[in-house]
Amino acid sequence: YDVHRLAEGRKLILGGVEVPFGKGLLGHSDADVLIHAVIDALLGAAALGDIGQLFPDNDERYRDADSIELLRTAAKLLERSGFSVCNLDCTILCERPKLMPYLPEMRKRLSQAANLPLDAVSVKATTEEGLGFTGEGFGIAAHAVCLVER
């Protein structure tokens, strides 16, 4: 799970895809909430820590970092640790913008970065019917689960 606040003056990057919108996500890196949730799911499944330990937000090397590159690094860490990723299942919680047209490209980019076949990656989007911070348009959240094996 990850969440980021929406802010003026930032690009909206989700799943490695730039989505046209008047606001973007606020964070130290590109704030790609979907990829951050995926990285945490992978690291957690392999008991290798979390995204904050691997890519700390007080490290200038990761300022405005491309989260796709962070995912590639995390996937390689799992591989070096003897794990293989079997699949990813992701859900973005977002009231606006509508994400359906961008989901296939997000899926493709996640599969490439995690070195998975396309049919092993699922990316979905849903609203929260106007409820909570995502429903009121203050931020975007994402959930990700994965299966890894050693």
Side-chain angles (χ1 to χ4, degrees):
Y1 174 79
D2 196 37
V3 60
H4 284 275
R5 177 183 303 277
L6 283 163
E8 301 286 339
R10 301 259 314 176
K11 291 180 182 179
L12 179 57
I13 310 293
L14 291 169
V17 175
E18 186 173 338
V19 177
F21 192 57
K23 296 179 180 179
L25 294 169
L26 190 60
H28 184 69
S29 67
D30 63 8
D32 188 327
V33 69
L34 174 57
I35 292 180
H36 294 183
V38 168
I39 292 170
D40 264 346
L42 293 172
L43 294 173
L48 293 173
D50 64 32
I51 191 170
Q53 292 170 318
L54 192 57
F55 309 110
D57 65 4
N58 60 358
D59 188 330
E60 286 302 309
R61 291 179 296 170
Y62 305 118
R63 179 169 301 283
D64 299 322
D66 179 347
S67 291
I68 282 285
E69 293 305 317
L70 302 181
L71 176 54
R72 282 190 181 101
T73 299
K76 287 176 187 170
L77 173 62
L78 264 76
E79 185 179 314
R80 286 192 311 269
S81 299
F83 291 93
S84 61
V85 182
C86 300
N87 64 23
L88 295 171
D89 180 27
C90 314
T91 305
I92 306 166
L93 297 94
C94 175
E95 205 69 24
R96 290 183 311 113
K98 296 300 181 191
L99 298 175
M100 186 67 71
Y102 307 98
L103 298 179
E105 184 64 20
M106 290 179 200
R107 188 173 168 225
K108 178 181 167 187
R109 292 191 184 195
L110 287 172
S111 73
Q112 291 170 342
N115 198 25
L116 286 170
L118 188 61
D119 66 359
V121 177
S122 171
V123 179
K124 308 171 296 296
T126 189
T127 69
E128 293 197 284
E129 304 295 329
L131 299 173
F133 69 92
T134 58
E136 292 179 28
F138 294 121
I140 297 177
H143 294 270
V145 295
C146 64
L147 177 65
V148 300
E149 61 185 10
R150 183 175 264 176

